[in-house]
Amino acid sequence: MARINLLPWREELRAERKRQFTGVLGLAVVVGLLVSLLVHMSFESKISSQQSRNSYLKTEITKLDTKIKEIAKLEKQREELLNRMQIVQSLQQSRPMVVRLFDELVRQIPTGLYLTEFSRKDLKLSLQGKSESTPRISAFMRNIESSQWLERPDVSGIKADKKGSIPTTTFTMSAKQKDFKNSSGGKQ
């Protein structure tokens, strides 16, 4: 039998396989490192892109916040202007009411009675005057009761004055102007 030494051939085959394995392993490590580097770079670019979007959103939110503050300021000014317009409108509407009130007072005052002082707060009237006699004050109260513009006369004081050539009676009275804004039946 021939003696053939197969040992070096096997050793060479093992060494060759070991080199191939090491090469493939090195290639796999390099490919793995490249893939992980690409994934890392991809994530970094996405993070950077998202951070730029976030900073853009923050600047836009800041701009919108200032606009919201401006809008709130404008709404407040609008409310103030509307309130002023309502005040002016109510004054415009009450202007003829004052004229009618004076006209009505003149019509209701009987002969022999005159007013020395007149004041008005809201719808309440305070009247002071002089009369030749107390029945004329009573007639004045009845006239106020029957008036379409005035109501609820109330005399708070009557004082006889006999110093002059003609005796007079000084009186203090209150009455109320009818509120036509809250009632539907009144004329304006």
Side-chain angles (χ1 to χ4, degrees):
M1 205 158 169
R3 290 187 84 182
I4 301 175
N5 188 1
L6 296 175
L7 219 41
W9 176 75
R10 285 185 183 161
E11 278 298 318
E12 287 177 15
L13 186 62
R14 269 190 206 141
E16 182 66 30
R17 284 184 184 164
K18 197 174 190 180
R19 260 183 293 152
Q20 285 178 353
F21 176 73
T22 308
V24 169
L25 184 62
L27 184 63
V29 167
V30 169
V31 168
L33 286 174
L34 284 175
V35 167
S36 67
L37 181 65
L38 288 174
V39 167
H40 177 71
M41 288 173 60
S42 168
F43 284 151
E44 280 296 319
S45 73
K46 287 182 181 180
I47 288 172
S48 140
S49 171
Q50 188 61 43
Q51 285 176 342
S52 69
R53 286 186 203 153
N54 288 350
S55 66
Y56 173 75
L57 287 175
K58 284 180 183 178
T59 57
E60 291 300 314
I61 287 172
T62 304
K63 289 178 186 176
L64 288 176
D65 284 342
T66 58
K67 287 182 180 179
I68 287 172
K69 288 178 184 176
E70 288 176 15
I71 289 172
K73 184 179 175 183
L74 290 174
E75 285 179 352
K76 184 179 176 184
Q77 287 177 346
R78 179 181 174 266
E79 287 296 322
E80 289 173 357
L81 286 174
L82 285 175
N83 287 340
R84 288 180 190 168
M85 285 175 52
Q86 286 176 344
I87 290 170
V88 168
Q89 188 176 24
S90 70
L91 287 174
Q92 288 286 4
Q93 288 176 350
S94 70
R95 228 193 304 177
M97 299 293 281
V98 173
V99 173
R100 288 184 179 163
L101 173 66
F102 281 118
D103 184 52
E104 188 68 21
L105 271 175
V106 169
R107 290 178 191 211
Q108 301 307 325
I109 294 176
T111 307
L113 184 136
Y114 61 94
L115 297 178
T116 57
E117 196 173 313
F118 170 83
S119 65
R120 175 180 159 211
K121 183 171 183 171
D122 295 327
L123 296 176
K124 186 174 179 175
L125 306 173
S126 296
L127 309 166
Q128 288 183 359
K130 293 190 177 195
S131 173
E132 293 176 358
S133 64
T134 54
R136 292 176 195 243
I137 298 172
S138 299
F140 184 42
M141 289 179 69
R142 281 191 299 277
N143 291 347
I144 288 176
E145 274 296 326
S146 65
S147 168
Q148 70 178 19
W149 289 94
L150 302 170
E151 62 185 355
R152 289 191 260 161
D154 183 33
V155 174
S156 58
I158 295 178
K159 182 178 173 186
D161 185 16
K162 299 184 183 205
K163 288 184 182 177
S165 61
I166 301 173
T168 59
T169 304
T170 304
F171 66 94
T172 303
M173 177 187 295
S174 65
K176 186 174 180 206
Q177 181 180 356
K178 290 185 181 176
D179 188 8
F180 290 105
K181 292 178 188 174
N182 296 330
S183 64
S184 59
K187 296 178 187 175
Q188 289 194 8

Short mmCIF file of all heavy atoms in Angstrom, two decimals, residues 2 8 15-16 18 36 61 63 67-68 72 76 78 81 84 99 104 117 130-131 153 157 183 187-188:
data_model
loop_
_atom_site.label_atom_id
_atom_site.label_comp_id
_atom_site.label_asym_id
_atom_site.label_seq_id
_atom_site.Cartn_x
_atom_site.Cartn_y
_atom_site.Cartn_z
N ALA A 2 0.30 2.14 -0.64
CA ALA A 2 1.09 3.33 -0.78
C ALA A 2 0.77 4.27 0.37
O ALA A 2 -0.35 4.39 0.81
CB ALA A 2 0.78 4.00 -2.10
N PRO A 8 -1.10 17.43 5.22
CA PRO A 8 -0.88 18.80 4.82
C PRO A 8 -2.02 19.32 3.96
O PRO A 8 -2.36 20.50 4.02
CB PRO A 8 0.42 18.74 4.02
CG PRO A 8 1.04 17.44 4.32
CD PRO A 8 0.00 16.56 4.86
N ALA A 15 -6.89 25.81 6.81
CA ALA A 15 -6.37 27.17 6.83
C ALA A 15 -7.14 28.04 5.83
O ALA A 15 -7.46 29.20 6.10
CB ALA A 15 -4.88 27.18 6.53
N GLU A 16 -7.43 27.43 4.65
CA GLU A 16 -8.20 28.15 3.63
C GLU A 16 -9.60 28.47 4.13
O GLU A 16 -10.09 29.59 3.99
CB GLU A 16 -8.26 27.32 2.35
CG GLU A 16 -8.98 27.97 1.22
CD GLU A 16 -8.30 29.21 0.69
OE1 GLU A 16 -7.07 29.33 0.75
OE2 GLU A 16 -9.04 30.13 0.26
N LYS A 18 -10.48 28.72 7.24
CA LYS A 18 -10.34 29.66 8.32
C LYS A 18 -10.17 31.07 7.76
O LYS A 18 -10.75 32.03 8.26
CB LYS A 18 -9.14 29.26 9.18
CG LYS A 18 -9.13 29.89 10.53
CD LYS A 18 -7.99 29.31 11.34
CE LYS A 18 -8.10 29.72 12.75
NZ LYS A 18 -7.04 29.19 13.58
N SER A 36 -25.05 50.14 10.60
CA SER A 36 -25.33 50.88 11.82
C SER A 36 -24.98 52.36 11.65
O SER A 36 -25.68 53.24 12.17
CB SER A 36 -24.59 50.28 13.02
OG SER A 36 -23.19 50.45 12.88
N ILE A 61 -45.45 80.00 17.12
CA ILE A 61 -46.32 80.07 18.30
C ILE A 61 -46.11 81.41 19.01
O ILE A 61 -47.06 82.05 19.46
CB ILE A 61 -46.05 78.88 19.25
CG1 ILE A 61 -46.64 77.61 18.64
CG2 ILE A 61 -46.62 79.13 20.64
CD1 ILE A 61 -46.27 76.34 19.38
N LYS A 63 -45.16 84.20 17.58
CA LYS A 63 -45.82 85.20 16.75
C LYS A 63 -47.32 85.18 16.97
O LYS A 63 -47.96 86.24 17.08
CB LYS A 63 -45.52 84.96 15.26
CG LYS A 63 -44.10 85.26 14.86
CD LYS A 63 -43.90 84.93 13.38
CE LYS A 63 -42.46 85.08 12.94
NZ LYS A 63 -42.27 84.68 11.54
N LYS A 67 -50.01 88.01 18.42
CA LYS A 67 -51.22 88.38 17.68
C LYS A 67 -52.46 88.18 18.55
O LYS A 67 -53.40 88.97 18.50
CB LYS A 67 -51.34 87.57 16.39
CG LYS A 67 -50.35 88.00 15.34
CD LYS A 67 -50.52 87.22 14.06
CE LYS A 67 -49.51 87.68 13.01
NZ LYS A 67 -49.62 86.93 11.77
N ILE A 68 -52.46 87.11 19.34
CA ILE A 68 -53.60 86.86 20.24
C ILE A 68 -53.71 87.98 21.27
O ILE A 68 -54.81 88.45 21.58
CB ILE A 68 -53.46 85.48 20.93
CG1 ILE A 68 -53.73 84.37 19.91
CG2 ILE A 68 -54.38 85.35 22.13
CD1 ILE A 68 -53.43 82.98 20.42
N ALA A 72 -56.87 90.42 21.72
CA ALA A 72 -57.54 90.64 23.00
C ALA A 72 -57.60 92.14 23.32
O ALA A 72 -58.62 92.64 23.80
CB ALA A 72 -56.81 89.89 24.11
N LYS A 76 -61.00 94.39 23.65
CA LYS A 76 -61.28 95.24 24.81
C LYS A 76 -61.62 96.66 24.35
O LYS A 76 -62.57 97.27 24.86
CB LYS A 76 -60.06 95.27 25.73
CG LYS A 76 -60.27 96.05 27.00
CD LYS A 76 -59.05 96.01 27.89
CE LYS A 76 -59.25 96.87 29.12
NZ LYS A 76 -58.06 96.94 29.94
N ARG A 78 -62.85 97.45 21.49
CA ARG A 78 -64.16 97.35 20.83
C ARG A 78 -65.28 97.41 21.86
O ARG A 78 -66.28 98.12 21.68
CB ARG A 78 -64.24 96.05 20.03
CG ARG A 78 -65.56 95.86 19.33
CD ARG A 78 -65.57 94.52 18.58
NE ARG A 78 -66.86 94.26 18.04
CZ ARG A 78 -67.81 93.55 18.62
NH1 ARG A 78 -67.60 93.02 19.80
NH2 ARG A 78 -68.98 93.37 18.05
N LEU A 81 -65.63 100.91 23.12
CA LEU A 81 -66.29 101.75 22.13
C LEU A 81 -67.79 101.46 22.07
O LEU A 81 -68.60 102.38 21.95
CB LEU A 81 -65.66 101.55 20.74
CG LEU A 81 -64.29 102.18 20.55
CD1 LEU A 81 -63.71 101.79 19.20
CD2 LEU A 81 -64.36 103.69 20.68
N ARG A 84 -69.38 103.11 24.99
CA ARG A 84 -69.50 104.55 24.74
C ARG A 84 -70.63 104.84 23.77
O ARG A 84 -71.38 105.80 23.96
CB ARG A 84 -68.19 105.10 24.18
CG ARG A 84 -67.09 105.17 25.20
CD ARG A 84 -65.83 105.72 24.58
NE ARG A 84 -64.70 105.58 25.49
CZ ARG A 84 -63.45 105.76 25.15
NH1 ARG A 84 -63.15 106.09 23.91
NH2 ARG A 84 -62.49 105.61 26.02
N VAL A 99 -87.00 117.56 27.35
CA VAL A 99 -87.84 118.65 26.83
C VAL A 99 -89.31 118.36 27.13
O VAL A 99 -90.06 119.24 27.57
CB VAL A 99 -87.61 118.82 25.31
CG1 VAL A 99 -88.59 119.82 24.72
CG2 VAL A 99 -86.17 119.24 25.04
N GLU A 104 -94.25 119.13 30.15
CA GLU A 104 -95.32 118.53 30.97
C GLU A 104 -95.42 119.24 32.32
O GLU A 104 -96.53 119.48 32.81
CB GLU A 104 -95.04 117.04 31.15
CG GLU A 104 -96.15 116.28 31.81
CD GLU A 104 -97.41 116.18 30.95
OE1 GLU A 104 -97.35 116.35 29.72
OE2 GLU A 104 -98.49 115.93 31.54
N GLU A 117 -87.22 125.79 42.65
CA GLU A 117 -86.08 124.90 42.52
C GLU A 117 -86.55 123.57 41.94
O GLU A 117 -87.63 123.08 42.27
CB GLU A 117 -85.43 124.68 43.89
CG GLU A 117 -84.05 124.10 43.81
CD GLU A 117 -83.38 124.05 45.18
OE1 GLU A 117 -83.44 125.07 45.90
OE2 GLU A 117 -82.84 123.00 45.51
N LYS A 130 -93.49 127.89 45.43
CA LYS A 130 -94.36 128.72 46.27
C LYS A 130 -95.74 128.73 45.64
O LYS A 130 -95.88 128.66 44.42
CB LYS A 130 -93.82 130.15 46.36
CG LYS A 130 -92.51 130.21 47.11
CD LYS A 130 -92.11 131.62 47.41
CE LYS A 130 -90.81 131.57 48.22
NZ LYS A 130 -90.51 132.80 48.85
N SER A 131 -96.72 128.83 46.50
CA SER A 131 -98.10 128.82 46.04
C SER A 131 -98.89 129.87 46.82
O SER A 131 -98.55 130.20 47.96
CB SER A 131 -98.72 127.45 46.28
OG SER A 131 -100.09 127.44 46.01
N PRO A 153 -96.74 111.78 43.07
CA PRO A 153 -96.32 113.00 43.76
C PRO A 153 -96.38 112.79 45.28
O PRO A 153 -97.24 112.08 45.78
CB PRO A 153 -97.34 114.04 43.31
CG PRO A 153 -98.56 113.25 43.00
CD PRO A 153 -98.06 111.92 42.48
N GLY A 157 -93.04 118.73 52.64
CA GLY A 157 -93.09 119.85 53.56
C GLY A 157 -93.88 121.02 53.01
O GLY A 157 -93.77 121.35 51.84
N SER A 183 -91.72 100.07 29.84
CA SER A 183 -93.14 99.79 29.65
C SER A 183 -93.45 99.87 28.17
O SER A 183 -92.89 100.66 27.44
CB SER A 183 -94.00 100.78 30.44
OG SER A 183 -93.80 102.08 29.94
N LYS A 187 -96.20 106.47 25.29
CA LYS A 187 -95.81 107.17 24.04
C LYS A 187 -94.49 107.86 24.28
O LYS A 187 -94.18 108.26 25.39
CB LYS A 187 -96.86 108.22 23.68
CG LYS A 187 -98.19 107.65 23.35
CD LYS A 187 -99.15 108.79 23.05
CE LYS A 187 -100.57 108.31 22.88
NZ LYS A 187 -101.48 109.40 22.70
N GLN A 188 -93.74 108.06 23.21
CA GLN A 188 -92.49 108.77 23.36
C GLN A 188 -92.44 109.95 22.48
O GLN A 188 -92.87 110.18 21.49
CB GLN A 188 -91.31 107.86 23.04
CG GLN A 188 -91.14 106.84 24.16
CD GLN A 188 -89.79 106.14 24.06
OE1 GLN A 188 -88.96 106.52 23.28
NE2 GLN A 188 -89.63 105.13 24.85
#
